[in-house]
Amino acid sequence: LDKDGSFSGSYLPGPAASDPKILSSPLEGSQQDAGLVPQPTFSFTVYWRLQDLEMARMTAFLGQCYVGTNGEETLHTLWLMREATESPAEDWKAT
């Protein structure tokens, strides 16, 4: 976590670890200053790197980091995934 609250890294969902089509994907995000709020909110995006390049996908995550009395962090998130489509007529099935 940088001083301005930004962070970056890679993302690989647990179930995908056994799927060779899904690769570790880059993520970029930001978080509230944990020094100012005890349970900071955060957001990040993941651009999926897939071996099958037929579909481009991106997911946005928005959530909050809860810190327990023992210091254990738990992330609660909502997410939305978007696939690229060929035309506006296909927009309905992209999200």
Side-chain angles (χ1 to χ4, degrees):
L1 190 62
D2 294 336
K3 288 182 181 183
D4 66 355
S6 64
F7 59 90
S8 62
S10 58
Y11 185 86
L12 182 65
S18 62
D19 186 345
K21 293 180 184 175
I22 300 178
L23 307 172
S24 181
S25 300
L27 71 82
E28 297 283 333
S30 62
Q31 175 184 294
Q32 282 182 299
D33 185 341
L36 299 176
V37 292
Q39 316 292 337
T41 59
F42 64 90
S43 65
F44 63 92
T45 56
V46 175
Y47 177 68
W48 296 98
R49 291 180 52 230
L50 306 169
Q51 283 186 348
D52 177 3
L53 296 177
E54 290 179 21
M55 291 197 176
R57 296 180 181 156
M58 185 170 280
T59 303
F61 292 83
L62 179 64
Q64 188 166 0
C65 178
Y66 293 98
V67 182
T69 55
N70 62 354
E72 182 177 325
E73 296 178 341
T74 305
L75 304 179
H76 288 223
T77 63
L78 296 172
W79 58 273
L80 188 62
M81 183 167 62
R82 176 73 184 202
E83 293 181 359
T85 61
E86 296 296 319
S87 71
E90 296 176 332
D91 189 65
W92 66 271
K93 67 180 182 177
T95 304

